[in-house]
Amino acid sequence: MSTMPLPAKASLSQLRARAKDLRKAVSKGRPDAIERAQAHHPAYGDAGSFTLRDAQLTVAREYGVVSWGELMARVATELVEGRELHRYFGVELNNETWDLLDQIDETSPVLDQERVLYGAYAACLHWLEAGNEANHARGEHLIARVAARIGRADLALPHARRCLQLIQAHPQQMSDWDEPFAREALARALAATGAVTEARAELQRARQLTELVADSGDREVLEKELAKEPWFGLSS
């Protein structure tokens, strides 16, 4: 099995894009992509079961690295000289967790659930060191979303409430899309705990605030997130 060197000035964003492209290509049955997966993934099954995590492992092995985590560490070590470590890892862990969020749910293997949940916590921790209250609020939002996704309403609700609390306490640091995202996460968490009336009110407020977001691209992102499950029986 041949490997290749990392590209000059490699970044995790580039490598994540490479993994996403590989997953899409395998799912479409492209022979070259399937050949890559068969050559480098230690337990390749079939195109239908090839996940983003499988693609990430394949990419790591293509570069002669045992795991995606080790590849991340190697690239970070090469890139962070002269950069602020906490900010770097805050960005990367945030993006990594969002990439994986739709790939898991409460039926996923426990280890996969833990990896995504701990990734969200780690991102938030780095933003506490390197960011401002807006970064902190967005970190709390991500934790709440992951927790709801894996059926941990006990975690989702306090983090969703903390997210909204930060936004209300520091409005000058927030974008116009922060509060609707916070209301969306809070609505999910409340629905997961069975507080349907309060959840409906938060969801309605999230919709109203989404309509007020100035940028059409930001509104579209919010609308797509509002359309995603799980809503725990509460219509989105």
Side-chain angles (χ1 to χ4, degrees):
M1 178 178 65
S2 62
T3 60
M4 55 187 176
L6 280 167
K9 297 183 179 179
S11 73
L12 287 180
S13 297
Q14 294 170 339
L15 295 173
R16 257 198 316 273
R18 181 176 174 85
K20 285 182 179 179
D21 290 344
L22 175 61
R23 179 175 178 265
K24 290 179 182 178
V26 169
S27 68
K28 292 179 179 179
R30 277 179 40 188
D32 59 327
I34 292 174
E35 184 178 349
R36 286 171 58 196
Q38 290 173 332
H40 295 280
H41 194 290
Y44 176 77
D46 56 68
S49 62
F50 193 73
T51 66
L52 179 59
R53 189 174 294 280
D54 291 322
Q56 290 172 339
L57 177 58
T58 301
V59 169
R61 294 295 179 90
E62 286 180 320
Y63 290 115
V65 181
V66 172
S67 68
W68 179 257
E70 184 178 327
L71 179 62
M72 180 177 72
R74 181 177 296 184
V75 172
T77 299
E78 293 178 0
L79 290 179
V80 297
E81 183 177 356
R83 297 177 64 178
E84 208 285 316
L85 277 171
H86 285 295
R87 181 173 182 81
Y88 177 82
F89 281 111
V91 170
E92 296 299 342
L93 286 163
N94 176 80
N95 293 342
E96 175 86 357
T97 303
W98 275 108
D99 281 346
L100 295 173
L101 182 59
D102 291 337
Q103 305 295 318
I104 62 158
D105 57 30
E106 57 189 308
T107 68
S108 299
V110 173
L111 184 58
D112 287 347
Q113 295 182 38
E114 290 174 340
R115 282 173 175 159
V116 180
L117 180 62
Y118 299 160
Y121 273 113
C124 193
L125 176 61
H126 285 294
W127 283 124
L128 284 174
E129 297 293 334
N132 58 18
E133 283 78 5
N135 299 122
H136 183 187
R138 293 161 194 166
E140 296 285 353
H141 173 267
L142 182 55
I143 295 170
R145 282 295 303 274
V146 172
R149 183 77 184 174
I150 62 175
R152 292 294 306 274
D154 58 316
L155 292 177
L157 187 55
H159 286 291
R161 290 196 188 283
R162 178 60 172 148
C163 174
L164 183 58
Q165 179 187 49
L166 287 163
I167 290 168
Q168 292 175 330
H170 305 279
Q172 71 283 359
Q173 295 189 24
M174 305 298 161
S175 297
D176 60 359
W177 44 264
D178 278 304
E179 187 173 348
F181 264 124
R183 301 281 182 182
E184 164 263 325
L186 184 54
R188 289 182 197 275
L190 288 165
T193 65
V196 176
T197 300
E198 193 176 353
R200 289 191 189 282
E202 292 296 341
L203 178 56
Q204 180 62 25
R205 184 60 176 151
R207 288 172 175 157
Q208 292 170 345
L209 290 170
T210 295
E211 293 176 359
L212 300 177
V213 171
D215 183 79
S216 60
D218 291 337
R219 284 199 309 276
E220 183 178 356
V221 171
L222 275 159
E223 289 164 357
K224 286 181 178 179
E225 290 302 316
L226 285 167
K228 289 181 180 179
E229 294 290 341
W231 278 106
F232 309 99
L234 185 70
S235 173
S236 62

